[in-house]
Amino acid sequence: MKSSTYIWIIGCLLGIIVILITYLILTENGVICISFADALSIASTLSSLILSVIAMFYTYYSGRDAQNIYIQIQSAIKEINRQVEKVSDDTKKNSETLVRITDGVQNIISAVASSSEALDTMRKESVSENERREAVEVIEKSKNSMIMFLKKMQEDE
């Protein structure tokens, strides 16, 4: 058993002993002239009243503690909700960034393919000056496209 249980038992036994000693002293001195059963009945009634008052105080303080725990739980739930919303927002931003990166990678792949075709065109021996100029323009556009993508990625960081 817990030590608090022992304290209650000892307290009750001491209370009974005090009641019995008081009864014996009062009956010996002729102060009271009632039977032991009546005295025990009055003592049990008084102890019931005292215990009910103690129970009311205990209930009040217990309810107050429960209210404090409830408030703490509610604040913890609010904080968890805030964190979940933050994670959700971060996930949304990350998925948007991933889509932009994927689009940029596709643009770079197509720019590299266009540059490669333009370079192949320039390597041919029978290429006119006009075709060479167009190939150089395609390579410049591809280069500009890749540079724009890289700058945009640096800005997003």
Side-chain angles (χ1 to χ4, degrees), residues 5 8 17-18 40 56 58 78 81 87 92 97 104 123:
T5 307
W8 276 101
I17 291 170
V18 166
L40 188 61
M56 284 189 270
Y58 179 77
K78 287 178 184 177
N81 285 337
V87 168
K92 185 178 178 183
T97 302
R123 287 185 180 162

Side-chain angles (χ1 to χ4, degrees), residues 136-150:
V136 169
E137 286 176 11
V138 167
I139 291 173
E140 281 294 320
K141 286 181 183 176
S142 298
K143 179 184 92 172
N144 291 338
S145 174
M146 286 187 250
I147 289 173
M148 284 175 44
F149 172 72
L150 292 174

Side-chain angles (χ1 to χ4, degrees), residues 89-151:
D89 291 343
D90 290 345
T91 302
K92 185 178 178 183
K93 288 177 185 175
N94 289 342
S95 63
E96 290 171 357
T97 302
L98 183 62
V99 167
R100 283 187 297 188
I101 289 173
T102 304
D103 292 343
V105 168
Q106 291 298 325
N107 290 339
I108 288 178
I109 289 172
S110 65
V112 168
S114 299
S115 297
S116 178
E117 290 174 11
L119 189 60
D120 289 343
T121 302
M122 288 178 68
R123 287 185 180 162
K124 292 181 185 174
E125 293 179 14
S126 60
V127 175
S128 68
E129 189 59 35
N130 194 23
E131 289 176 326
R132 282 185 194 262
R133 231 180 286 123
E134 287 176 4
V136 169
E137 286 176 11
V138 167
I139 291 173
E140 281 294 320
K141 286 181 183 176
S142 298
K143 179 184 92 172
N144 291 338
S145 174
M146 286 187 250
I147 289 173
M148 284 175 44
F149 172 72
L150 292 174
K151 284 183 180 177

Side-chain angles (χ1 to χ4, degrees), residues 15-31:
I16 291 170
I17 291 170
V18 166
I19 290 171
L20 288 173
I21 290 173
T22 306
Y23 176 75
L24 290 173
I25 290 171
L26 292 176
T27 54
E28 286 295 320
N29 292 330
V31 175

Side-chain angles (χ1 to χ4, degrees), residues 49-64:
L49 289 173
I50 292 169
L51 288 176
S52 66
V53 169
I54 291 172
M56 284 189 270
F57 279 120
Y58 179 77
T59 303
Y60 170 75
Y61 287 115
S62 174
R64 193 173 69 180

